[in-house]
Amino acid sequence: MPSVEKASLSASPRPRFLRVPRIPSLQELHKLIRPILVMLPAMGLILGFGMGIVGGGQWAGTIWAAATVPVLSALLIEIVASLRRGDVGLDIVAALSMAGALVFGEHLAAVVVALMYAGGQYLESFAERRANREMTALLARVPGTALRHRDGRLEEVPLDAVVPEDRLLVRQGDVVPVDGFVAAGMAVLDQSALTGESVPAQKKAGEPVMSGVTNVGDAFDLSATHSAAESTYAGIVRLIEAAQASKAPMTRLADRFAMAFLALTVVLAGGAWLWSGDPIRALAVLVVATPCPLILAVPVAIVSGVSRAAKAGVLVKGGKAMETLARVKALVIDKTGTLTHGQARIVEIRPVVGLSPEGLLQLAASLEQASKHVIARALVSEAQAMALDLLPPIAVAEVPGEGLEGIVDGRRVVVGGVRFLSQRVPNAARAVADGHYPVGSVVVAVAVDGEPAGLLILADPLRSEAARVIDSLRRLGIARITLASGDRRDVAEAVTVGLHLDAVHAELTPDRKIAIVQEEKRHGPVMMVGDGVNDAPALAAADLGVALGAKGAAASAEAADIVLLVDRLDKIPVAVQAARRSRRIALQSVYAGIGLSVVGMVVAGLGYLTPVQGALIQEAIDVAVILNALRALWGPEPS
Ligand code: ADP
Ligand code: MG
C-alpha cells in the first residue's frame, strides 16, 4: 500500500479538493526565498573581501550593504505582519542592529548579522522539514478501509479497492474516505478540517461530499465518485497541514524571556550610547544581542523533539503540544479501547426464550456494522468469525459511547449498554437489570421491536502494557492518574484492580468526562487519553488531548493534540520523555546563550568590542547554541 500512496504523491502534488486557487501565505513565501536570503549575504561577504584582494576595496562596503538590504527588507515585512497580529518578537533586535549598522556605515558588521540571521532561519526550517518528513512517512502507514455494499451485504475493503460508483456505508465518526455524494439518508458533516467552518453542514441525498470531512451525524450511504488514491493523500495532507498550522505559537517558551531580553538590550545599548556619547557602542551592543539564541534554540530543540516523537509513532501537532507534554501533571484515561484492547471476546450469549444465540448475535452485529465503537467492532468480528450472515442496517441513530438503534431486516433493533437500553425500551429494563454478570464483564443488551431480546456478555481485558505504562508515567512525574469511563462502575472497578490509580469515575456521559478533566486541572496541566467518538469533547477540553489513532475514531484524532499512530500505550511515556528532553535542551541553550550574550553586551557597552568583533563573537555563541539544540534530534533513544 505505501507504494501506491507514493505513486499518487508524485502523480498529483495536491489533492483535487485542496487545489483551490489561493494566495500563498507570507510564511510559504518565506520558505521559498529563505535559501536565497542565506546565499545573498554569503556571496556578498566573499565578493566584498575578494574586491579588497584585487584592489577594488572601495567597493567592498557597497557590496556588503547591498547584500544586507534584501535580508533586512524581508525581516521588516515579517515584523510588520507580526506586529499586526499583536506579537512583539526578538526579530526587532535583529532589524535594529542591521539597520543601525547600515546607517553608521558598519557594512561588514551588517552583512555578518544578515548572514547569521538568515542562516538561523534556514536551520529552523530545516528542522521543521525534518519533523514533517517523519510525520508524512508515519501517516502514510495508517491503514484505511471502507465499508462497501455488495450483493445486499456489507464488506470491509481496503481503501485502494474503492472505485467510482461503489456504494459505501460511512459510520458516525468516520472520515469520508473518497469524494462522492449522499446516496441515501441525511449526512451531518464536520468540514472544519477542510474549510475552517466550525458549524457542521447538513447534506441531503444527491448532494456532493468531499473526502476528508468527518461524519458527526448518523451513518449514511455514500456513492463514490472518485478512487481513493487521492483521498488517502488528501487525509495525510490535511492532518499535516493542521499540525503545521498549530505550530505557530512554537516560541511560547521563548516569549516569557523575549520581552525581558528585548528590554535589557535596549537599556544596555541606550546606556552605552548616553554614557560614551558614541552611537557605535550602542550598535556593538545590538550586534552582540543578534540574532539571539532565543530565536534559534527554542524552535530548533522543540521541532527536533517533534521529529523524535514521530519516529516512535507519535504525531505531535506542533510545538505548543510538545511543550505542554513536557509539563503534564495529571492524566485522565479512558477505559474501553484505551486501557483495554477493545478486542473483546464474547464469553456468553443469553437470548430470551424463543431466540437462538446465533439469531441474537446476528441481529445485534448487523446493526453494529454502523458503529465505530470498539465493542461494536468486536461484536461484528465475532459474528463474522462464526460465519453469520450480516444484513445492512438502515435508519441508524447512535448515541456515542452508549448504543444505537436502527432497522435490520424490517425489525427495529436497539443495542447498547444496560443503562441505554433501560432508557430506550422500558419493557426491557427489568429483564436487563435482573441479570447477574461475571465480575468485570462488558454487557451489551439487545431489544427487538420494543421487547428485550437478550444479553451479550464480553470479556475485554486490560492491555498487557497498561500497568507498566501507568507506573512509568508516575515515575515521569505525573502525580494524578484517574480513569474516566462510560462503562458500568463495577466493570471499571474490577478491570482496574491492581493499577495504581488515584480515582475511578464510571458511567460518564461525554459531558461528564469534560467535567472530570476540568476538575483535574487544579493539579496542573491535564493530559486526556482516549479513543472513542465520546472522548472527543474531553480530548479538546484537556490541556493536552492524546488520541489512539490507529484503531480509534477519526473524530477523536481530529480533536486531539497528539495522535498515537501505533496501537500501543507504551508510546505515551516515550513521547513524554522526548518532550521533557527537548524542553530541557531548549532551556539549557537559552540560559547558556543568553548568559554569554549578556556578558558580550556588557563588554561591548564598555567599548572593548567593535561591531564587527561583536558580530563574530555572537556568531560563535549562536553556532554553539544551535548545535546544542540539535541534540534533541540525534540524542539517545528514549526508553
Ligand atoms: P469507555 O468510556 O470506558 O471507553 P464507552 O463509554 O465507550 O466506554 O462504552 C461503555 C459501554 O457502553 C460499553 O462497555 C458498552 O456496554 C456500551 N456501548 C457503547 N456503545 C456501544 C455500542 N455501539 N454497542 C454496544 N455497546 C455499546
Ligand atoms: Mg473508549
Side-chain angles (χ1 to χ4, degrees):
M1 229 178 78
S3 62
V4 174
E5 271 151 13
K6 241 182 241 145
S8 70
L9 284 184
S10 50
S12 83
R14 278 203 157 258
R16 208 179 48 74
F17 61 78
L18 282 177
R19 217 182 286 138
V20 188
R22 62 194 184 102
I23 304 160
S25 71
L26 208 61
Q27 242 180 341
E28 282 167 316
L29 269 180
H30 260 269
K31 222 165 258 170
L32 287 176
I33 58 173
R34 224 162 243 167
I36 301 172
L37 290 182
V38 181
M39 296 281 286
L40 280 177
M43 275 160 45
L45 196 62
I46 294 168
L47 196 63
F49 279 122
M51 291 303 272
I53 292 168
V54 299
Q58 71 275 24
W59 293 104
T62 315
I63 292 171
W64 289 331
T68 307
V69 169
V71 179
L72 179 57
S73 313
L75 176 56
L76 286 176
I77 294 173
E78 205 170 292
I79 288 175
V80 169
S82 60
L83 283 180
R84 278 220 196 117
R85 286 195 308 266
D87 292 346
V88 185
L90 283 169
D91 290 1
I92 291 174
V93 179
L96 274 180
S97 65
M98 269 185 255
L102 287 181
V103 168
F104 295 114
E106 291 282 345
H107 298 152
L108 178 57
V111 78
V112 171
V113 170
L115 178 60
M116 277 157 33
Y117 180 77
Q121 297 274 303
Y122 185 74
L123 258 180
E124 184 190 332
S125 69
F126 162 79
E128 208 165 291
R129 272 198 311 277
R130 238 198 101 106
N132 286 336
R133 196 185 65 198
E134 308 280 8
M135 285 190 206
T136 314
L138 279 164
L139 281 167
R141 287 209 306 262
V142 175
T145 57
L147 276 182
R148 183 163 68 185
H149 289 275
R150 181 60 46 100
D151 306 323
R153 299 275 175 276
L154 274 173
E155 56 177 354
E156 186 160 7
V157 291
L159 272 192
D160 291 333
V162 175
V163 293
E165 296 188 45
D166 271 352
R167 197 178 164 118
L168 308 175
L169 178 68
V170 183
R171 295 165 296 190
Q172 186 178 67
D174 270 337
V175 166
V176 173
V178 295
D179 294 0
F181 58 87
V182 181
M186 164 75 109
V188 183
L189 302 165
D190 176 354
Q191 306 187 322
S192 57
L194 290 185
T195 62
E197 175 59 70
S198 56
V199 182
Q202 296 216 350
K203 302 268 179 165
K204 291 193 292 286
E207 293 197 66
V209 175
M210 289 185 293
S211 65
V213 304
T214 309
N215 178 15
V216 292
D218 293 312
F220 71 96
D221 277 354
L222 177 88
S223 188
T225 52
H226 289 85
S227 81
E230 278 188 274
S231 312
T232 308
Y233 177 51
I236 293 171
V237 170
R238 195 169 41 73
L239 254 183
I240 299 275
E241 285 195 341
Q244 280 168 337
S246 71
K247 206 176 282 167
M250 178 156 58
T251 42
R252 257 174 22 131
L253 182 68
D255 283 349
R256 261 185 286 142
F257 299 91
M259 293 313 287
F261 189 75
L262 188 58
L264 181 69
T265 306
V266 170
V267 167
L268 276 179
W273 189 346
L274 280 181
W275 183 56
S276 67
D278 181 6
I280 299 297
R281 285 227 192 151
L283 179 62
V285 172
L286 280 177
V287 165
V288 173
T290 315
C292 170
L294 269 176
I295 301 182
L296 304 171
V298 176
V300 169
I302 287 184
V303 168
S304 300
V306 169
S307 167
R308 293 290 298 201
K311 249 191 198 156
V314 180
L315 172 69
V316 181
K317 296 186 187 172
K320 182 168 174 253
M322 200 67 188
E323 270 191 66
T324 315
L325 182 59
R327 293 185 296 114
V328 159
K329 284 281 171 305
L331 166 68
V332 177
I333 192 162
D334 169 64
K335 179 184 76 74
T336 319
T338 303
L339 265 188
T340 70
H341 255 301
Q343 289 162 344
R345 291 262 153 268
I346 295 180
V347 291
E348 195 188 338
I349 303 181
R350 284 189 206 163
V352 293
V353 180
L355 194 64
S356 70
E358 289 79 13
L360 177 64
L361 180 58
Q362 185 198 22
L363 278 176
S366 292
L367 179 58
E368 292 280 32
Q369 290 178 102
S371 171
K372 272 207 99 148
H373 195 274
V374 283
I375 295 296
R377 293 164 79 151
L379 284 179
V380 171
S381 55
E382 288 270 57
Q384 279 166 346
M386 289 163 68
L388 295 178
D389 226 2
L390 297 185
L391 307 163
I394 53 172
V396 182
E398 177 165 7
V399 181
E402 298 194 23
L404 70 173
E405 56 187 306
I407 304 211
V408 177
D409 201 15
R411 307 168 77 182
R412 164 135 231 105
V413 181
V414 185
V415 179
V418 168
R419 187 170 38 128
F420 177 74
L421 210 87
S422 315
Q423 287 163 355
R424 294 285 150 131
V425 186
N427 275 348
R430 259 207 42 216
V432 163
D434 280 355
H436 294 285
Y437 327 117
V439 179
S441 54
V442 170
V443 177
V444 176
V446 189
V448 177
D449 292 329
E451 293 298 328
L455 300 177
L456 299 157
I457 295 165
L458 299 98
D460 184 24
L462 280 187
R463 289 170 186 266
S464 56
E465 74 267 27
R468 194 158 39 87
V469 167
I470 300 267
D471 289 343
S472 33
L473 287 175
R474 277 209 193 278
R475 272 199 304 280
L476 284 169
I478 298 181
R480 276 282 295 185
I481 303 186
T482 47
L483 180 86
S485 172
D487 211 347
R488 293 184 346 261
R489 167 152 299 279
D490 67 292
V491 182
E493 277 171 356
V495 164
T496 54
V497 164
L499 292 184
H500 300 120
L501 298 174
D502 294 297
V504 173
H505 303 279
E507 297 174 24
L508 300 174
T509 56
D511 307 2
R512 287 288 304 145
K513 286 201 183 192
I514 296 183
I516 300 285
V517 165
Q518 303 290 16
E519 248 167 64
E520 290 300 312
K521 284 190 180 169
R522 65 199 155 92
H523 300 285
V526 176
M527 164 159 82
M528 160 88 200
V529 186
D531 71 304
V533 179
N534 56 331
D535 297 318
L539 290 173
D543 297 294
L544 189 80
V546 180
L548 277 83
K551 279 200 290 174
S556 61
E558 296 279 348
D561 305 294
I562 292 182
V563 182
L564 301 183
L565 297 172
V566 286
D567 194 33
R568 279 173 50 186
L569 288 185
D570 53 4
K571 295 299 178 191
I572 298 175
V574 172
V576 171
Q577 263 182 324
R580 293 258 161 100
R581 185 174 142 85
S582 58
R583 187 182 146 92
R584 204 168 48 237
I585 289 175
L587 283 174
Q588 189 185 65
S589 307
V590 164
Y591 287 135
I594 287 193
L596 290 172
S597 296
V598 170
V599 171
M601 281 154 74
V602 170
V603 173
L606 293 174
Y608 295 112
L609 286 178
T610 66
V612 171
Q613 287 167 337
L616 292 176
I617 285 181
Q618 185 59 41
E619 173 139 47
I621 297 174
D622 288 329
V623 167
V625 158
I626 291 175
L627 287 180
N628 187 51
L630 279 172
R631 284 195 303 132
L633 191 58
W634 285 292
E637 203 58 47
S639 57

